[in-house]
Amino acid sequence: MKLKEYLKELHSLYSSGSATEGSYYRVLARLIEENFKGFKVIILPKRTAGGFPDLKVITSNGHIVGYIECKRPGVSLPEVERSEQVKRYKGQFKNFLLTNFLDFKLYGGGILLEELKLLNFKDFERGKLKPLAKEKELFEFLKEFLSYSEKPITTLSELAERLSWRVRILKEELLREVKENSVIKALYNSIKEFIIESLSEEEFADTIAQSLAYGLLILKLRKGEVRKEEIIYDFPRSLAVIREIFIEVLKVRGGELEWALEEIEQVLNLFDERKVKLSPDELTTHFYEPFLKAYNPELREVRGVYYTPKEVVSFINASVEEVLRESFGKEGFKDRELTFLDPAAGTLTFVLDAFEKLKEELSEEGSGVLRKFFDEIVLSNYYAFELLPAPYVIGHLRISQFLKELGIEDKRFQLYLTNTLEFHHEHPGYLFSNAWAEETKRADEVKREKEIMVIVGNPPYSGISANNLKSIREFLRKDIAVKREDGEEVCQSYYRVNGKDLQTFIRETSGSKKVKVWLQDDYVKFIRFAQWKVCSGGKGIVGYITNHSYLDNPTFAGMRESLLRSFDKIYILNLHGNKRKKEPDENVFDIMQGVAVGIFVKDGSKRGEFAELFYYSTLEDEGLLKREEKLDFLRENSLSTLKWRRVKPKPPYYFFVPAESRKGWESFIPVSRIFKEFVSGIVTARDGLVVGFTPEEVEEKIRLFLDPQVPDKEIRELFKVNDNYAWKLSEARETLRRELKGKDLKSFIKPILYRPFDKRFIFYHPTVVFRDRYDVMKHMISTENLALILGKQWHVIGSQTYDITFISDNINDYNIFRRGGGVLFPLYLYSDDGSRAPNYTSEVSKVLKELYGEETSLVSPEELFYYTYALLYSPDYREKFKELLKYEFPRIPFPEKVEELKELAEKGKRLAELHLLKGVSLKGVKFVGDNFKVERVNFKNGRLYINENSYFEPVSGEVFSYRIGGYQVLRKWLKDRKGRELSLDEIETLRKIVRSLEETVKLQKELRLEFL
């Protein structure tokens, strides 16, 4: 095809008036194929548009050359270039051509390399087909495009990136097939009904896409080159379940799904595994985590998929073997009666480590004994479960290779594709295929009937659990009775502690009126599963590495009590690395949450009601900060080599960590029992609408909100408000118009303490404020009052010590402290007639009466309030009770002499005035500069800069660093005003805050508590 013929055919199509964009594809394809032999142009199936460009060019032997995105003649390419679709294509495809059939743009690695214009569109429309470029120029341009050769992929990260988005497209095509293809739909329904009850259509598509991609990768590693059709014939017999899926999926021919599979096949054939210095076994194992991170980081998070370092695995397995020998008189993993299960097997790292230990020990007895032992004992007594098909496939291939090296090729290891936490399946005679029926039947037999002595693994860490079936949730909530030949044992519910419902217990111990109890983390469910299995057999060992929150979080008190009752010995190796708690050490995983190894032993040695508990910390006992240091420590140690600290968990919390003695603390009165009424801060759920820096700003927002001429869409965009289950924008606007009719808007605008020292204004009306807390907050509105604002669990806000105490003379926002939770305790309660009474309980009056007798009358309500405030700012109090303040509201001790109380109250009053900015002098702090806009907050040489030239001075480093509620006060106050020009009032306020913090630092040093 010559250039003249190409333009003539294009114009003929255009003139017909009925041509679609796709009508032009074949003309361009012919131009390329007829003039450049050895190349083939493949037209994309329509329904995957958006995932791939319109055309793909390959060589005769199937290698990808490049991609072409086409637009109709006349479409502006500069405009198309700015679209998100084309931006994505330029980034994803190394050799990419954009064209409207008359103009061409060639990109390499996202950069425009060359462009060519054949004809002006206006001339094309009129049939004037004399080209601007010569035919030779066009062919040279296309030759440049076709001369590109895909470079080999030589790193796992590049392979993960190149593969991941193609697998995402495959998933979308599979999801469509589930809805439209009756055979694929039947396959999905069978798996959902009989194997994984919680499986959604999207999860099914996701599962199959991953399995196909990983199956092809494994074939590539085994054979050097892969063709998708070979996957059916070359897969190991042990993977019959996966093979059944592949057979059905590969029956879908000639469409979008086949295109997506071909793309994956071609990318895999570019991978040069020789450049990656890992064995095929190591490569398949190590690749899964970066692949999942690139493919779907949310799935990685939800299912808690993280590669377990071999040092962690080895430590756990070695420790378990030692316990087997010392406590059970067994021969370790070599014992013929031993049963072993990894319920979250991943790629079988724990199992293979145990196998290697066995192999090393048995090798001394000869290859025949080694093979026979594995053949007759191990393959009958070792089990594993995995939910995700990709690691399931990897696991089977790894174990097959191991067994093959022992001379065992005709046996399958008992790794089952199943959800460990689901085991109430019906078993029909026919389940889509016999392979599926057998798989689910055998898995459920292990769950229900097999006595398991050793359970090890790295369970999923996800807090937002994907395992949310009612039966799974109830597994934690109910007592589970297990019957054995030697009698019955009850695994106590995790939702009961000290004989009380967990919610009631938390309410009583914390003083909070409303509490949320969250125990649905996946790792908690896997610990419960292991506890139940070991109790069912009457003896055994559990060795897990998990999230370490259960060690000392009050919510897990029932779980800890239950474990103490079920097991005889518990060993906790705290590996720390909790970034959320600002722990200073690195994590052994690439995650925020700290981790711990738990070895739970049930050997019948318990002499009392509870297990013996032993604790060791890599941070506190070893001082290890680096990840590599921890891994070295794990490599060199096991349970028998550590100098464990004996911990005696005690009610009410049964902490699994060494805790400060509660003696004394228990005798103090909780602040929640000093005040009658208290409540969490206000939650607006729409700060952008109802909160502002000035009353005028808030009034302007509300007037706009009420204006019927302003459409809902504009309000949503302007104030970032969205509908939810309890609030609809259009209804709220109508309601507020009706309720405010004839009323003064200004009367609803109230001051609110938004953050420490940061007073703003709020439109305080229940129609637009999600939780107004009016029953208690009314005592702070238009009245003279003070309130303590306190939080719980200070360690989660990122501070190094307790600092979640402040004061207010207004209502307060829930998020006054970092990560929320500011609870308001008013000094006075007001009646409708305007009279007021102290908000103190009879309990605190009784405590004071017993302590001070008639002198109690000398203590005014204000003095008790100020005394409490001073106490909570005392460095002595904060340090002494640092650990206990992690879990509940402060408890308040009182000195023996009333004079000491009154003396401290005087200092507390001064502290309160400083924090309310009352009587704070401006002297000594000045503002320098003529640019009042907050642009970049910086502290340097005693100056607090708000931009390059303007600053406050002098400001000491101690004042600049001072924290309240997890916030660095000065930085937070300014950062929240970034982009605003500071008013004169705001400049004066910040000067006062600096002076207030200076005086606070000095005053705190005087708050010594000799009576503690």
Side-chain angles (χ1 to χ4, degrees):
M1 175 183 276
K2 301 296 184 183
L3 174 57
K4 186 175 181 180
E5 184 183 354
Y6 168 74
L7 291 173
K8 187 175 179 181
E9 284 200 26
L10 288 178
H11 186 261
S12 176
L13 284 169
Y14 181 81
S15 301
S16 71
S18 59
T20 63
E21 179 188 294
S23 305
Y24 300 93
Y25 295 167
R26 182 41 49 194
V27 182
L28 179 57
R30 278 186 56 214
L31 178 72
I32 293 171
E33 290 174 348
E34 291 180 13
N35 288 286
F36 300 92
K37 301 302 181 185
F39 294 95
K40 183 179 180 182
V41 179
I42 302 172
I43 298 172
L44 172 75
K46 286 184 181 178
R47 279 189 286 198
T48 55
F52 290 107
D54 300 309
L55 308 177
K56 175 169 65 175
V57 181
I58 62 173
T59 61
S60 55
N61 58 5
H63 291 153
I64 300 170
V65 172
Y67 297 82
I68 306 173
E69 176 65 13
C70 305
K71 300 299 173 185
R72 291 170 62 90
V75 172
S76 167
L77 292 191
E79 285 186 21
V80 173
E81 276 183 303
R82 292 192 290 271
S83 70
E84 290 303 315
Q85 181 193 51
V86 170
K87 285 180 184 177
R88 186 171 71 252
Y89 288 162
K90 289 193 294 184
Q92 287 176 338
F93 301 106
K94 306 293 184 186
N95 190 35
F96 172 64
L97 186 64
L98 177 64
T99 182
N100 58 12
F101 301 97
L102 302 176
D103 303 321
F104 296 83
K105 286 176 175 275
L106 176 62
Y107 300 88
I111 299 169
L112 180 64
L113 301 178
E114 198 173 341
E115 52 187 321
L116 179 73
K117 191 175 190 69
L118 289 181
L119 197 64
N120 287 321
F121 178 65
K122 287 187 178 178
D123 289 339
F124 177 77
E125 271 189 307
R126 292 194 292 265
K128 295 182 177 181
L129 303 182
K130 185 177 180 181
L132 298 172
K134 295 179 181 178
E135 185 174 78
K136 183 180 178 182
E137 290 179 75
L138 171 63
F139 290 161
E140 285 295 326
F141 182 91
L142 292 175
K143 185 178 179 181
E144 179 71 18
F145 170 66
L146 297 171
S147 66
Y148 178 81
S149 176
E150 284 274 16
K151 295 178 181 177
I153 298 170
T154 58
T155 67
L156 293 185
S157 58
E158 185 184 4
L159 180 62
E161 188 275 324
R162 298 276 291 276
L163 202 57
S164 60
W165 62 265
R166 289 172 166 91
V167 178
R168 280 197 293 273
I169 294 171
L170 176 60
K171 171 199 161 184
E172 293 305 315
E173 294 309 317
L174 281 163
L175 185 58
R176 185 175 58 76
E177 292 292 336
V178 174
K179 298 179 185 299
E180 298 178 7
N181 184 313
S182 60
V183 176
I184 304 298
K185 181 73 172 178
L187 175 60
Y188 162 69
N189 286 336
S190 291
I191 297 172
K192 178 176 174 61
E193 186 173 356
F194 302 113
I195 298 177
I196 305 174
E197 188 180 343
S198 57
L199 192 71
S200 68
E201 288 184 348
E202 185 169 1
E203 287 170 334
F204 169 79
D206 204 21
T207 285
I208 307 308
Q210 283 191 60
S211 299
L212 281 163
Y214 234 93
L216 289 167
L217 169 63
I218 289 160
L219 282 184
K220 156 68 177 171
L221 297 176
R222 289 174 61 190
K223 302 186 70 174
E225 190 167 356
V226 64
R227 290 176 57 81
K228 61 183 185 300
E229 294 81 5
E230 296 171 350
I231 200 167
I232 296 172
Y233 308 106
D234 288 354
F235 240 49
R237 199 182 317 172
S238 60
L239 286 167
V241 170
I242 299 297
R243 188 169 173 272
E244 294 281 355
I245 296 175
F246 292 171
I247 288 171
E248 296 306 327
V249 170
L250 291 174
K251 285 178 182 176
V252 181
R253 308 289 296 178
E256 302 89 327
L257 192 146
E258 189 174 16
W259 171 285
L261 275 171
E262 286 173 356
E263 279 284 323
I264 292 168
E265 174 188 297
Q266 289 159 353
V267 166
L268 286 172
N269 282 328
L270 286 171
F271 179 50
D272 186 353
E273 62 272 23
R274 295 167 299 179
K275 301 289 185 181
V276 181
K277 295 179 180 179
L278 294 170
S279 68
D281 175 55
E282 290 173 321
L283 194 151
T284 51
T285 306
H286 287 269
F287 178 63
Y288 187 57
E289 192 173 333
F291 164 72
L292 204 55
K293 187 175 182 179
Y295 167 66
N296 187 348
E298 289 79 16
L299 178 65
R300 179 173 179 256
E301 198 68 35
V302 168
R303 292 297 183 187
V305 178
Y306 298 99
Y307 172 72
T308 313
K310 61 184 179 182
E311 295 83 357
V312 173
V313 176
S314 182
F315 176 89
I316 291 174
N317 279 346
S319 298
V320 166
E321 270 212 292
E322 288 174 355
V323 175
L324 283 169
R325 292 189 173 101
E326 293 298 320
S327 298
F328 293 90
K330 301 288 185 183
E331 295 185 81
F333 294 148
K334 186 181 169 184
D335 196 278
R336 295 190 176 199
E337 295 179 357
L338 179 73
T339 48
F340 180 108
L341 170 67
D342 183 346
T347 59
L348 288 182
T349 305
F350 278 87
V351 172
L352 281 163
D353 179 80
F355 280 14
E356 289 292 350
K357 290 180 180 353
L358 260 176
K359 180 182 175 183
E360 184 178 350
E361 191 172 352
L362 288 167
S363 292
E364 298 175 3
E365 301 182 30
S367 59
V369 172
L370 174 63
R371 175 179 173 177
K372 204 71 172 171
F373 189 90
F374 268 88
D375 197 353
E376 295 182 5
I377 307 298
V378 173
L379 292 182
S380 298
N381 293 343
Y382 279 63
Y383 310 92
F385 301 146
E386 176 52 42
L387 174 62
L388 296 175
Y392 169 84
V393 169
I394 299 166
H396 264 297
L397 290 168
R398 294 180 73 195
I399 216 85
S400 295
Q401 184 61 35
F402 179 91
L403 294 173
K404 185 178 179 180
E405 290 170 5
L406 299 182
I408 303 171
E409 297 193 52
D410 57 345
K411 295 287 184 73
R412 168 194 164 150
F413 174 68
Q414 296 183 85
L415 165 62
Y416 297 109
L417 186 64
T418 184
N419 186 340
T420 298
L421 303 174
E422 293 179 19
F423 44 92
H424 299 291
H425 302 119
E426 297 297 327
H427 297 291
Y430 177 79
L431 169 67
F432 195 85
S433 76
N434 290 330
W436 280 106
E438 190 67 18
E439 184 86 0
T440 187
K441 181 181 177 183
R442 297 296 180 208
D444 280 0
E445 282 177 359
V446 177
K447 293 176 197 177
R448 289 173 168 171
E449 300 169 18
K450 290 287 183 184
E451 288 187 5
I452 301 295
M453 190 164 192
V454 169
I455 300 176
V456 296
N458 175 16
Y461 287 27
S462 177
I464 305 172
S465 174
N467 292 297
N468 276 322
L469 292 176
K470 183 180 178 182
S471 59
I472 296 174
R473 296 197 304 271
E474 291 301 307
F475 196 52
L476 302 181
R477 290 184 175 276
K478 292 182 177 180
D479 289 346
I480 303 175
V482 293
K483 294 181 179 180
R484 304 189 299 264
E485 290 182 2
D486 61 346
E488 183 175 287
E489 181 178 351
V490 175
C491 293
Q492 178 184 305
S493 163
Y494 287 3
Y495 281 81
R496 198 175 78 253
V497 58
N498 299 322
K500 297 179 180 179
D501 170 76
L502 182 59
Q503 201 156 24
T504 302
F505 165 78
I506 297 293
R507 189 180 297 115
E508 289 178 358
T509 53
S510 69
S512 297
K513 294 179 180 179
K514 294 182 179 180
V515 296
K516 290 182 179 179
V517 174
W518 185 256
L519 273 177
Q520 293 299 320
D521 304 62
D522 272 340
Y523 81 91
V524 175
K525 295 169 184 173
F526 274 80
I527 289 177
R528 181 64 161 176
F529 169 81
Q531 177 188 11
W532 166 71
K533 283 298 287 180
V534 169
C535 286
S536 297
K539 59 183 178 180
I541 311 166
V542 179
Y544 277 166
I545 181 166
T546 67
N547 180 327
H548 72 177
S549 293
Y550 77 98
L551 302 181
D552 63 356
N553 188 312
T555 303
F556 296 86
M559 174 183 174
R560 289 189 291 269
E561 183 185 3
S562 179
L563 293 170
L564 286 166
R565 291 186 183 280
S566 290
F567 291 96
D568 301 316
K569 295 188 187 78
I570 297 174
Y571 298 86
I572 301 296
L573 173 58
N574 196 344
L575 294 168
H576 296 279
N578 195 325
K579 295 176 185 176
R580 291 193 175 98
K581 290 185 180 179
K582 304 291 183 182
E583 288 187 326
D585 57 330
E586 296 175 356
N587 202 304
V588 293
F589 296 99
D590 183 22
I591 58 175
M592 297 289 290
Q593 182 59 57
V595 297
V597 171
I599 308 289
F600 304 87
V601 181
K602 190 175 184 66
D603 61 1
S605 65
K606 185 162 57 186
R607 294 294 174 262
E609 193 177 2
F610 298 124
E612 291 183 282
L613 191 133
F614 303 91
Y615 178 85
Y616 201 84
S617 162
T618 53
L619 185 59
E620 297 152 10
D621 296 311
E622 291 287 331
L624 304 179
L625 298 178
K626 298 293 184 183
R627 179 177 184 271
E628 288 306 317
E629 291 176 338
K630 292 183 186 180
L631 296 179
D632 288 343
F633 168 83
L634 290 167
R635 187 186 304 111
E636 295 163 5
N637 287 283
S638 62
L639 187 140
S640 64
T641 64
L642 300 184
K643 294 180 180 179
W644 297 95
R645 282 189 272 167
R646 177 74 186 275
V647 174
K648 294 184 178 180
K650 295 178 181 178
Y653 293 112
Y654 304 99
F655 293 130
F656 278 14
V657 297
E660 292 284 337
S661 171
R662 297 181 64 85
K663 190 175 180 182
W665 179 259
E666 295 286 359
S667 66
F668 304 157
I669 181 169
V671 70
S672 55
R673 299 212 308 259
I674 291 177
F675 293 89
K676 292 179 187 174
E677 298 288 340
F678 51 92
V679 73
S680 296
I682 290 165
V683 177
T684 74
R686 44 196 75 90
D687 286 11
L689 170 64
V690 299
V691 177
F693 288 99
T694 65
E696 294 76 19
E697 180 187 342
V698 175
E699 183 179 355
E700 184 180 345
K701 288 180 179 182
I702 298 302
R703 290 199 182 281
L704 207 60
F705 183 81
L706 295 171
D707 189 345
Q709 301 302 312
V710 181
D712 286 355
K713 182 181 179 183
E714 189 173 329
I715 295 294
R716 290 184 201 280
E717 293 172 355
L718 194 59
F719 300 122
K720 305 293 186 290
V721 292
N722 294 300
D723 292 354
N724 60 36
Y725 74 95
W727 194 83
K728 300 291 183 287
L729 175 62
S730 57
E731 293 174 10
R733 295 183 76 188
E734 195 58 46
T735 300
L736 200 59
R737 289 185 195 115
R738 186 172 60 250
E739 294 191 3
L740 294 182
K741 194 172 183 180
K743 295 180 182 178
D744 182 8
L745 280 184
K746 294 183 176 66
S747 67
F748 293 93
I749 300 175
K750 307 294 180 185
I752 182 172
L753 186 63
Y754 193 69
R755 301 290 183 267
F757 291 104
D758 192 350
K759 186 176 79 172
R760 301 194 194 178
F761 294 87
I762 183 173
F763 191 80
Y764 190 61
H765 191 288
T767 301
V768 286
V769 174
F770 180 51
R771 299 194 189 281
D772 62 8
R773 322 285 195 197
Y774 182 74
D775 287 348
V776 177
M777 290 294 175
K778 65 184 179 183
H779 303 294
M780 303 299 299
I781 298 172
S782 305
T783 60
E784 186 179 330
N785 209 347
L786 294 173
L788 287 177
I789 302 175
L790 306 176
K792 292 184 298 181
Q793 298 186 9
W794 64 266
H795 59 300
V796 303
I797 64 173
S799 295
Q800 299 304 306
T801 189
Y802 176 85
D803 67 357
I804 43 179
T805 297
F806 205 58
I807 192 170
S808 181
D809 52 5
N810 299 119
I811 59 180
N812 73 285
D813 185 76
Y814 178 79
N815 289 305
I816 183 170
F817 302 139
R818 184 171 174 266
R819 300 188 71 168
V823 179
L824 180 132
F825 296 81
L827 170 56
Y828 287 106
L829 300 180
Y830 280 79
S831 300
D832 293 340
D833 62 6
S835 63
R836 69 181 189 179
N839 181 29
Y840 294 132
T841 63
S842 58
E843 183 178 354
V844 71
S845 300
K846 182 180 178 183
V847 169
L848 294 176
K849 187 76 173 176
E850 289 174 353
L851 198 57
Y852 304 130
E854 293 182 3
E855 289 185 311
T856 302
S857 61
L858 300 175
V859 181
S860 69
E862 285 80 7
E863 283 178 314
L864 178 55
F865 182 89
Y866 291 136
Y867 165 80
T868 303
Y869 198 59
L871 182 87
L872 298 178
Y873 267 87
S874 164
D876 291 351
Y877 178 86
R878 290 182 171 189
E879 182 59 32
K880 184 175 180 66
F881 301 113
K882 181 177 180 178
E883 291 301 312
L884 294 164
L885 286 165
K886 287 181 178 180
Y887 309 113
E888 54 189 90
F889 278 131
R891 289 173 176 254
I892 308 301
F894 293 102
E896 291 183 6
K897 296 179 180 179
V898 74
E899 291 80 12
E900 291 181 75
L901 184 151
K902 292 172 76 68
E903 182 183 338
L904 208 56
E906 191 61 36
K907 292 175 181 176
K909 181 180 180 182
R910 177 58 186 147
L911 194 63
E913 289 171 343
L914 287 171
H915 294 172
L916 293 168
L917 300 182
K918 291 183 177 179
V920 178
S921 170
L922 290 173
K923 288 183 179 180
V925 182
K926 58 186 178 182
F927 176 78
V928 179
D930 55 8
N931 180 358
F932 304 102
K933 191 172 185 179
V934 181
E935 295 170 352
R936 184 171 178 268
V937 180
N938 189 26
F939 177 71
K940 186 178 179 181
N941 299 327
R943 292 175 174 176
L944 177 55
Y945 286 85
I946 67 168
N947 51 53
E948 192 173 338
N949 300 310
S950 300
Y951 55 87
F952 292 85
E953 73 166 359
V955 179
S956 70
E958 193 171 17
V959 166
F960 178 69
S961 301
Y962 196 89
R963 288 177 175 269
I964 295 175
Y967 293 125
Q968 195 174 333
V969 174
L970 296 176
R971 181 183 290 279
K972 177 64 177 172
W973 195 93
L974 284 169
K975 191 177 177 182
D976 284 355
R977 287 160 175 76
K978 190 172 182 180
R980 286 174 54 86
E981 283 204 1
L982 297 182
S983 67
L984 181 59
D985 283 346
E986 287 176 313
I987 290 171
E988 289 190 355
T989 295
L990 192 65
R991 290 170 65 196
K992 285 183 179 181
I993 295 172
V994 173
R995 293 288 291 118
S996 169
L997 294 179
E998 286 175 357
E999 293 301 313
T1000 296
V1001 170
K1002 291 178 186 176
L1003 190 54
Q1004 278 188 280
K1005 293 173 183 176
E1006 300 176 19
L1007 299 177
R1008 314 314 303 187
L1009 305 179
E1010 302 296 337
F1011 62 88
L1012 279 183

